[in-house]
Amino acid sequence: MLRLRQWRFQDAYDCFEEAAAVLGALERQRATLAWKTSGLDADGLRATVGASSVTLGGLLKHLAHVEDSHFARLWLGVPVGAPWNTVDWDNDPDWAYRTAAEDTPDHLRTLWGESAARSRAVVEEALSTGGGLDQLGAYVTRGGERPNLRRILLDLVEEYARHVGHADLIRESVDGLTGEDPG
């Protein structure tokens, strides 16, 4: 059974199993986001760059929602839980970004950390069955297609990679922290 653990740079070279490679890429993005948002107070998490309203706190809250919704909706086929199930997403699609300024840094980090932990547990359970990344999620499109675990994980890698780029720029503007990999 594949055991999930903290990502290490060497893992990308040591793993030959596809699931380990995909999960390693996702964990690297998660670790980079955690690093880029670490040690900042509320003002640091509310900082913006240029005309953008995206903040580091907003990214934490948005990615917490993405973690929960991808696995609840696409993999398990169940409604997403609190706090996401109380939001009118049709009328407030930027709710996570907009409301993050009202949350404390500890709340944002906990919300994101717990969402990522739930995702890890769902993936570990799915992979423990031996079905690998080809297993199909419960969600069915209008065309009758179902995403496999690989697609869901790669979508998360893509979502994180895009937003970690945003986090890099925002964090540099806050205190000059730059770099690609956490220490």
Side-chain angles (χ1 to χ4, degrees), residues 119-135:
S119 294
R120 287 182 187 103
V122 168
V123 171
E124 187 164 5
E125 173 67 25
L127 292 174
S128 73
T129 67
L133 297 179
D134 290 326
Q135 296 176 73

Side-chain angles (χ1 to χ4, degrees), residues 6-7 31-32 35 177-183:
Q6 180 69 28
W7 183 86
T32 303
W35 176 49
L177 177 75
T178 61
E180 294 181 22
D181 291 307

